[in-house]
Amino acid sequence: MQIWPGHPYPLGATFDGTGTNFALFSEVAERVELCLIADDGGETRIELTEVDGFVWHAYVPGLNPGQRYGYRVHGPYDPANGHRCNPSKLLLDPYAKAIDGQIDGDPSLFSYRFDAPDERNDDDSAGHTMTSVVINPFFDWGHDRPPQHEYHASVIYEAHVKGLTMRHPDVPEELRGTYAGIAHPAIVDHLASLGVTAIELMPVHQFVNDPHLVEKGLSNYWGYNTIGFFAPHNGYSALGQPGQQVQDFKAMVKALHAADIEVILDVVYNHTAEGNHLGPTLSFRGIDNAAYYRLVDDDQAHYFDTTGTGNSLLMRHPHVLQLIMDSLRYWVQDMHVDGFRFDLASTLARQFHEVDRLSAFFDMVQQDPVISQVKLIAEPWDLGAGGYQVGGFPPLWSEWNGDYRDTVRDFWRGEPSTLAQFASRIAGSSDLYEHTGRKPIASVNFVTAHDGFTLADLVSYNEKHNEANGEDNKDGESHNRSWNCGVEGPTSDPEVRALRGRQQRNFLTTLLLSQGVPMIAHGDELGRTQQGNNNVYAQDNELSWIDWNLDAPRLALVEFTQRLVRLRRDHPVLRRRRFFAGQPDQDRESNLRDIAWFTPSGENMRQEAWEVDHARAVMVFLNGEAISEPDPRGEPIVDDSFLVMFNASPDDLTFTLPPADFGAEWTCVLDTDHNLEVGESVDAASVVKVTARSTVVLTRPAGTAGAGASGLGSA
């Protein structure tokens, strides 16, 4: 076998059509061996003798895609000083584009002995660990193009590759639970008919299936346990052949783009699957532990952990930053994804100890010509001190708005003193974002997500029911801000069932009519239940998979959601790019403010009305003729106007509509209790009955308001 010197860049294994270049960073290594793995498990070791800037490299002519490989790194094993090299461990390439197999939990995977933790374990891990795979980088993208939906026009659908497809009767059995399953017309057509503009996939980076879960008959279903930042998870490949997952993933993206749907990835760059000092040695730990991981300053045998998983990546090390930026660019440029949602993003901002929005990572993203142009969404918290940072990320970023989720849940379950906060949230959360020059798109609004109750369970359970997880119901969030509508769990009571249906429609209506970027959790539009389990991270079974066998109420919920998404899509006033000013548009011949709030009696909301602790109802006027922003061609945007009546109280209420200055006649477009018929007309200043715990939406065409309105409303 010929071995040429090769090049130190790019890192990883790069096939150029005639051979493969290998490059691995390790500052601490004394020797590095490239290990080529045969089909029978046999191993050919090649010592890398070329080193430039701590990058060990070689080129192997004639080495083709499909070749499995790993590394053995010789260097200091000195945990007290942060070093854990051990050449008996076959290590994954941090830049591997594909990974084969899974770990099996064998003791050889660990660098210490279970019976003597202070002693090094020199048992060989080959055959028990995962291997890297050389991939074929070539793919026929055809006419693929990124949809590039503007943020304010986006509707995000959070989904799990397996959970979305595993039980769909129209997806062939061999494709269920795979990238090809999502690319199947049955799934693409559902997403397109729903009207979503982007699918946000839960982790698809290669992750580790924890042996301790497998022993209990469970698995790491969610996938927040990354070990390969460049490799699509091999368990989601339809054929299961080494390297095939890359082609499968690209074909999925191509199919979704053809349907005008973007692909956003939920990425976990804050930690790896190697865990704490008692975890396995799979890759980074054995390559250069002190460079990749954040260690406790005065106790380098242990890891500084703000993620709750055992370790945190060292965000101030240049090669860690390079790894993350190279990974992000790869997924955009080679895999054609359209954006990222960053798990526990506050950890990425911890350059030292505190969360710093001006950290090196955010600086690098800001100036990067590729990454800065895609959608960037932060989960703006971690588990460390000061980690809750909603509203604290740089202008380029959007954020999961946890305050939105909590406030909207509290409002609809009838908590006191929530009305003012509710109004702020549905108006775009300017109190959180405007002071830093950000716009409503900074707020990714959600009521439910993968972590917590489904929408159906949110209105059916007061308590979590996580017994299936085997942790005595101690795992998962206990404070869910949920309300079971009077009965815990399933019931045949028609009144309770009707109320639960109405509450689900209230939540969806609130979400889709709020300023910001709405995110729907997969299956919520179908009434999906997890039977009260709010933490299905380990439930790779029918408890977490979507049931596509829809009865009449669930079909009706799908149609209701579709109608809401269309309403939002068709009306710019429901998805403004700028915050409400609370003032008339100076360029229009009208004194009507862009937004106005009213009590149910039709009076302007004054400060004292917002402060009434038992107030659970409000009417909001959205002025479609006061959108102070131009369309892409510079023309003023003129839209219909809306009146939205929210009644979260346990009693039916009558709402008095504003005077004719706001609109002479209104038409019902939505009533979550079906009390008003769609298309039914209502005159100005008349009275409308709004059922207990329901929402009514009225509209009137542009140009039908009085020109001299005097009741300007309160901003």
Side-chain angles (χ1 to χ4, degrees):
M1 181 180 294
Q2 283 189 312
I3 308 297
W4 297 353
H7 303 282
Y9 187 86
L11 290 165
T14 306
F15 175 69
D16 62 6
T18 60
T20 303
N21 190 80
F22 294 89
L24 177 77
F25 160 76
S26 177
E27 190 172 353
V28 74
E30 297 164 357
R31 286 176 54 212
V32 173
E33 294 175 299
L34 168 66
C35 306
L36 304 180
I37 313 299
D39 291 341
D40 62 1
E43 190 175 315
T44 300
R45 299 187 185 184
I46 300 169
E47 184 156 352
L48 303 185
T49 58
E50 299 292 327
V51 189
D52 292 285
F54 303 115
V55 176
W56 305 69
H57 55 91
Y59 181 89
V60 183
L63 193 146
N64 293 318
Q67 174 67 56
R68 296 185 299 135
Y69 71 98
Y71 289 102
R72 296 184 185 273
V73 175
H74 301 255
Y77 181 80
D78 183 8
N81 288 301
H83 304 308
R84 295 179 180 269
C85 296
N86 188 338
S88 67
K89 311 309 171 192
L90 183 66
L91 303 175
L92 288 170
D93 181 356
Y95 277 73
K97 305 297 194 304
I99 292 173
D100 186 49
Q102 264 289 347
I103 64 172
D104 62 6
D106 190 81
S108 64
L109 295 168
F110 299 83
S111 285
Y112 63 93
R113 297 198 171 277
F114 291 170
D115 56 351
D118 293 334
E119 295 183 14
R120 192 171 89 164
N121 176 7
D122 289 328
D123 293 343
D124 199 316
S125 66
H128 301 284
T129 192
M130 312 156 87
T131 55
S132 307
V133 181
V134 178
I135 69 155
N136 179 357
F138 307 109
F139 179 79
D140 181 8
W141 283 104
H143 298 291
D144 181 72
R145 64 169 184 82
Q148 293 186 325
H149 294 295
E150 291 194 62
Y151 253 128
H152 74 281
S154 296
V155 178
I156 298 173
Y157 188 83
E158 187 197 30
H160 187 283
V161 171
K162 198 167 187 179
L164 181 62
T165 62
M166 199 62 186
R167 300 180 69 184
H168 200 296
D170 295 333
V171 175
E173 189 170 351
E174 66 273 14
L175 301 183
R176 295 176 188 173
T178 70
Y179 304 119
I182 287 188
H184 190 273
I187 299 298
V188 176
D189 290 350
H190 174 74
L191 297 174
S193 69
L194 198 59
V196 299
T197 65
I199 184 170
E200 181 178 301
L201 293 175
M202 291 174 64
V204 296
H205 287 176
Q206 183 66 50
F207 58 85
V208 169
N209 204 354
D210 315 59
H212 77 275
L213 291 175
V214 175
E215 289 174 4
K216 295 195 295 184
L218 304 171
S219 66
N220 194 312
Y221 170 66
W222 281 352
Y224 291 92
N225 205 25
T226 303
I227 197 62
F229 294 115
F230 294 78
H233 184 62
N234 55 30
Y236 298 151
S237 175
L239 297 178
Q241 298 173 353
Q244 180 63 38
Q245 60 265 44
V246 178
Q247 303 296 311
D248 288 353
F249 184 91
K250 290 178 176 179
M252 175 194 71
V253 173
K254 185 177 178 180
L256 289 165
H257 280 182
D260 204 30
I261 297 171
E262 295 179 320
V263 178
I264 298 173
L265 300 188
D266 190 340
V267 289
V268 187
Y269 291 111
N270 52 72
H271 74 280
T272 80
E274 290 184 304
N276 63 17
H277 62 289
L278 300 177
T281 298
L282 307 176
S283 179
F284 310 90
R285 173 174 282 143
I287 294 171
D288 197 332
N289 185 64
Y292 280 111
Y293 292 120
R294 188 165 181 177
L295 308 177
V296 177
D297 289 339
D298 55 356
D299 181 13
Q300 297 203 341
H302 295 90
Y303 296 82
F304 185 86
D305 176 22
T306 60
T307 65
T309 61
N311 66 56
S312 303
L313 285 176
L314 183 59
M315 297 307 299
R316 63 176 179 264
H317 194 285
H319 278 90
V320 173
L321 292 169
Q322 181 186 1
L323 171 80
I324 296 174
M325 296 303 294
D326 285 350
S327 169
L328 291 169
R329 275 191 295 270
Y330 173 75
W331 286 97
V332 173
Q333 295 179 314
D334 288 61
M335 308 296 266
H336 287 207
V337 305
D338 305 283
F340 305 94
R341 177 266 188 189
F342 292 79
D343 179 67
L344 300 181
S346 291
T347 291
L348 304 177
R350 290 181 184 272
Q351 187 163 333
F352 296 99
H353 292 281
E354 71 287 348
V355 177
D356 181 3
R357 72 188 189 97
L358 300 178
S359 72
F361 171 69
F362 292 116
D363 289 345
M364 293 182 72
V365 169
Q366 180 73 34
Q367 59 79 41
D368 189 276
V370 175
I371 307 308
S372 64
Q373 299 307 302
V374 301
K375 290 182 170 65
L376 302 171
I377 303 170
E379 182 184 37
W381 50 77
D382 66 13
L383 302 184
Y388 191 79
Q389 290 288 319
V390 171
F393 279 72
L396 193 65
W397 291 69
S398 295
E399 302 172 13
W400 272 26
N401 190 343
D403 285 2
Y404 179 94
R405 171 200 59 207
D406 296 346
T407 299
V408 171
R409 288 187 179 194
D410 280 347
F411 177 77
W412 281 114
R413 71 188 178 119
E415 286 295 291
S417 303
T418 57
L419 190 60
Q421 281 288 314
F422 178 75
S424 294
R425 299 300 150 248
I426 65 175
S429 296
S430 61
D431 57 322
L432 298 177
Y433 303 111
E434 191 173 24
H435 69 284
T436 55
R438 301 165 79 184
K439 297 179 179 179
I441 60 171
S443 178
V444 174
N445 300 327
F446 66 106
V447 176
T448 61
H450 67 273
D451 189 2
F453 282 145
T454 67
L455 184 60
D457 289 353
L458 184 67
V459 301
S460 303
Y461 295 90
N462 284 350
E463 308 295 336
K464 64 184 179 182
H465 296 269
N466 298 357
E467 291 79 8
N469 296 351
E471 300 179 40
D472 296 324
N473 205 35
K474 295 177 181 178
D475 63 300
E477 176 60 58
S478 296
H479 185 45
N480 293 285
R481 291 182 158 91
S482 61
W483 179 49
N484 63 17
C485 298
V487 178
E488 187 75 356
T491 180
S492 58
D493 187 317
E495 291 187 6
V496 173
R497 292 167 66 94
L499 176 55
R500 288 176 177 177
R502 194 159 70 246
Q503 286 286 75
Q504 290 178 73
R505 294 190 292 274
N506 287 330
F507 279 121
L508 288 168
T509 301
T510 303
L511 178 65
L512 271 303
L513 299 190
S514 294
Q515 304 298 324
V517 183
M519 184 185 76
I520 302 169
H522 75 179
D524 275 356
E525 79 282 10
L526 307 168
R528 182 174 78 93
T529 179
Q530 293 171 172
Q531 299 174 27
N533 191 317
N534 72 356
N535 189 32
V536 294
Y537 78 102
Q539 298 294 329
D540 188 3
N541 51 53
E542 292 189 356
L543 183 65
S544 57
W545 303 338
I546 290 179
D547 177 11
W548 291 90
N549 183 23
L550 306 181
D551 57 16
R554 295 176 69 198
L555 280 170
L557 187 60
V558 176
E559 294 169 357
F560 181 83
T561 309
Q562 292 170 331
R563 187 150 51 93
L564 273 171
V565 176
R566 285 196 302 270
L567 187 67
R568 182 183 181 87
R569 179 198 65 196
D570 294 343
H571 292 284
V573 72
L574 302 178
R575 45 179 177 81
R576 294 166 51 102
R577 288 181 294 168
R578 299 174 184 170
F579 287 112
F580 292 104
Q583 299 293 332
D585 188 333
Q586 299 303 315
D587 298 328
R588 312 288 170 87
E589 294 182 359
S590 171
N591 289 326
L592 291 178
R593 297 175 185 264
D594 54 6
I595 188 171
W597 303 89
F598 300 93
T599 66
S601 62
E603 299 173 350
N604 293 328
M605 287 287 291
R606 304 299 181 188
Q607 186 60 40
E608 57 272 17
W610 291 115
E611 296 173 354
V612 176
D613 62 358
H614 61 269
R616 295 184 177 89
V618 70
M619 177 167 54
V620 57
F621 167 70
L622 305 175
N623 190 349
E625 298 170 84
I627 304 174
S628 56
E629 55 196 51
D631 68 13
R633 294 174 297 179
E635 298 295 326
I637 297 174
V638 178
D639 191 17
D640 300 341
S641 294
F642 287 83
L643 273 178
V644 186
M645 290 167 270
F646 297 101
N647 179 15
S649 76
D651 303 313
D652 297 348
L653 295 178
T654 55
F655 281 70
T656 301
L657 270 56
D661 291 339
F662 288 85
E665 184 178 76
W666 296 86
T667 302
C668 177
V669 292
L670 184 146
D671 183 340
T672 59
D673 190 47
H674 312 302
N675 183 48
L676 277 182
E677 295 294 330
V678 172
E680 186 174 342
S681 296
V682 184
D683 293 331
S686 62
V687 172
V688 173
K689 176 186 173 183
V690 180
T691 309
R693 298 189 174 96
S694 70
T695 309
V696 172
V697 182
L698 308 178
T699 187
R700 56 104 172 140
T704 59
S710 57
L712 300 184
S714 170

